[in-house]
């Protein structure tokens, strides 16, 4: 579309919008024109960025993410950190990806193109060009705006990690020059790491996407206009406020479906858009149903889904590296034509990625620095949603007698792994990608489920609702989450978070010894006299036993213990122990013996790494079947770990 027409259109469009109060503070305003050139596997872009200096200090430099430069060469921080491999797929040597800044200038002002330089705030790797700095001729004063015009060229890599192309499928994500976040006068603009996700300010995006006319397009936000350019191309215009990123996809082999979705309580009205690759059409109902489940679950448990659209993108199998990824109001899922109904990966990925729209999308914490706030809270939500809609014991795998829940899978992942890192760590400082995933996703999710069992389901539900309500669109930190949990539960929970989030140590309590020994009548010589003739003993009416139960703390972490002790005659005793010492003994004199002892009878200690030593019978029973089940889960875990999400 020609520029004057575009301006008229934007003007008309903006003034025809209903007057809603903004949900977020708008720091950025992006107006981007993007043209896909399939022959070059690239996007030619023109960006007008209006940026507000929301601080009290003048700002004399700007910092930008150029994420695609992670795929520029094998010395980028992203590729070095993972040995050049992501999700077991290597980048194609012939198809590196990059962001080239062809021009950057202040609107009606200085050309800054020669002022561009690359910086490496995290690791000093001079070969990494994922962060760009631009020095300004004059500072942006506090609470004033600057408008920049940027011409850029986004060469897409062959897809292996989120963004890129595969044959005629294009995923344009992390594709445009994106300004960092100014916090207390300083730039928070991290390099693109192999395990990091993202952080950005909220604002307005209007993006005009031009593609060959046979391409089906999906994008963040609402499509507000479609233009046939009469030259074999079409232009689609998308608009959305209160978001902090923008992604789009194009492929002639997508089949597009629309359905309106509404919910009464809380009130939700949105349009579901499915873009399913032709080869996966049989998954349509599974995708649609799980997305509806996701919208309902998150709306009811955290807050109403507020955007007018939600777009599900199903990439072709060969582009699985682009699957399972979240963007504002759009996400990619993962499926294959050969997935049996009982393998609930499409459902799980769909619910998980939709759910990110809450923690990554609306709450929008800094995923570089505190990845658990997104992945952990989202995995916790996903486990609960999957259990609700697909069955407590079969929410991941439901193939005849073989049933595994999402919860069991995540727990197997945690107990079967090393403990090299705590949950709270910057995403690129974990020992490995595996340790990042284990802690930020599974362990964080299980720690929240454990907190839920400790506090009670109702209180935890209120914690989560309050956290979302209080912090949506405000970029909270871990401290803000803890504050909400303590406020709502009216308890000091520092001891819980210090141990389970700040330490990699293990939680393991065990029943030690169970002993029931008969208390003998005094026998032998006492004060020069024989006491009790052994023959008299036979006449004793009742035997008395000294019953002893010992509990051992085998791990470093401390958790208050409930103990259930059962005697042979059926008598039950409940004991409490603060769990602080290394062991504790309980002793009882009874005319009967112990039958069993169990710690954690309410099953609160989800993170206890060995549940099999939590109970003991005086007469040992068999535990073999449990061990087999555990082995199977660990195999299944390898498959799911590969998916990564
Ligand atoms: Zn995720």
């Amino acid at each position: 579309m020609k520029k004057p027409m575009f301006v008229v259109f934007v003007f008309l469009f903006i003034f025809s919008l209903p007057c809603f109060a903004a949900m977020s503070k708008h720091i950025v305003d992006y107006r981007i024109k993007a043209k896909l050139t399939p022959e070059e596997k690239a996007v030619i872009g023109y960006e007008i960025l209006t940026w507000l200096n929301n601080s009290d200090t003048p700002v004399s430099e700007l910092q930008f993410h150029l994420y695609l430069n992670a795929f520029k060469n094998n010395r980028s921080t992203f590729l070095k950190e993972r040995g050049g491999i992501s999700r077991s797929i290597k980048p194609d040597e012939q198809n590196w990806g990059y962001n080239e800044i062809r021009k950057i200038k202040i609107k009606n002002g200085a050309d800054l193109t020669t002022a561009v330089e690359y910086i490496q705030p995290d690791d000093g790797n001079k070969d990494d060009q994922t962060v760009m700095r631009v020095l300004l001729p004059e500072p942006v004063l506090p609470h004033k705006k600057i408008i920049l015009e940027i011409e850029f060229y986004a060469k897409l890599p062959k897809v292996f990690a989120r963004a890129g192309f595969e044959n005629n499928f294009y995923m344009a994500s992390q594709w445009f020059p994106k300004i960092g976040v100014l916090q207390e006068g300083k730039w928070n603009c991290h390099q693109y790491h192999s395990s990091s996700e993202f952080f950005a300010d909220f604002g307005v995006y209007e993006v005009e996407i031009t593609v060959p006319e046979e391409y089906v397009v999906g994008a963040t936000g609402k499509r507000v206009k479609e233009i046939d350019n009469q030259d074999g191309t079409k232009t689609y215009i998308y608009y959305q406020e209160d978001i902090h990123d923008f992604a789009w996809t194009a492929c002639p082999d997508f089949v597009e479906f629309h359905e309106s979705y509404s919910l009464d309580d809380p009130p939700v009205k949105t349009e579901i858009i499915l873009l399913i690759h032709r080869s996966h059409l049989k998954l349509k109902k599974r995708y649609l149903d799980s997305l509806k489940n996701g919208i309902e679950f998150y709306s009811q448990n955290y807050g109403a889904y507020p955007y007018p659209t939600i777009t599900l993108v199903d990439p072709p199998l060969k582009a699985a590296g682009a699957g399972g990824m979240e963007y504002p109001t759009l996400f990619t899922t993962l499926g294959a034509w050969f997935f049996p109904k009982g393998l609930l990966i499409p459902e799980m990925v769909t619910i998980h990625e939709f759910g990110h729209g809450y923690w990554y999308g609306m709450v929008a914490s800094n995923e570089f620095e505190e990845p658990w706030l997104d992945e952990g809270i989202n995995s916790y939500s996903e486990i609960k949603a999957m259990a609700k809609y697909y069955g407590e014991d079969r929410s991941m795998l439901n193939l005849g007698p073989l049933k595994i829940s999402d919860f069991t899978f995540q727990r197997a992942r945690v107990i079967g792994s090393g403990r090299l890192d705590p949950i709270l760590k910057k995403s690129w400082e974990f020992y490995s990608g595996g340790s990042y995933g284990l802690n930020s996703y599974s362990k964080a999710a299980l720690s929240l489920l454990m907190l839920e069992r400790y506090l009670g389901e109702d209180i935890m539900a209120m914690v989560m609702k309050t956290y979302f309500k209080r912090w949506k669109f405000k970029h909270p930190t871990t401290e803000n989450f803890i504050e909400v949990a303590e406020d709502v539960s009216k308890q000091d929970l520092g001891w819980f978070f210090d141990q389970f989030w700040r330490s990699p140590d293990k939680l393991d309590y065990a029943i030690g010894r169970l002993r029931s020994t008969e208390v003998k009548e005094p026998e032998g010589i006492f004060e020069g006299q024989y006491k009790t003739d052994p023959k008299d003993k036979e006449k004793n009416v009742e035997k008395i036993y000294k019953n002893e139960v010992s509990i051992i703390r085998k791990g470093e972490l401390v958790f208050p213990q409930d103990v259930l002790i059962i005697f042979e005659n059926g008598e039950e005793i409940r004991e409490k122990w603060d769990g602080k010492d290394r062991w504790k003994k309980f002793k009882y004199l009874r005319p009967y013996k112990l039958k069993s002892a169990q710690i954690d009878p309410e099953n609160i200690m989800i993170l206890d790494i060995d549940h099999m030593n939590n109970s003991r019978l005086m007469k040992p029973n068999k535990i073999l079947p449990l061990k087999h089940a555990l082995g199977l889960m660990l195999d299944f875990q390898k498959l799911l770990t590969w998916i990564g999400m």
Side-chain angles (χ1 to χ4, degrees), residues 523-550:
E523 285 173 20
I525 302 163
F526 297 88
E527 293 165 8
Q529 293 204 19
Y530 282 96
K531 190 115 184 172
T532 315
D533 185 331
K535 282 176 200 156
D536 292 346
K537 217 178 119 201
E538 304 299 316
K539 297 174 203 157
N540 275 356
V541 264
E542 201 174 39
K543 290 180 180 177
I544 295 291
Y545 296 93
K546 187 174 148 195
N547 295 297
E548 195 178 292
V549 175
S550 34

Side-chain angles (χ1 to χ4, degrees), residues 352 356 375 441 645:
H352 180 97
H356 273 303
E375 293 297 357
Y441 290 66
M645 291 186 310

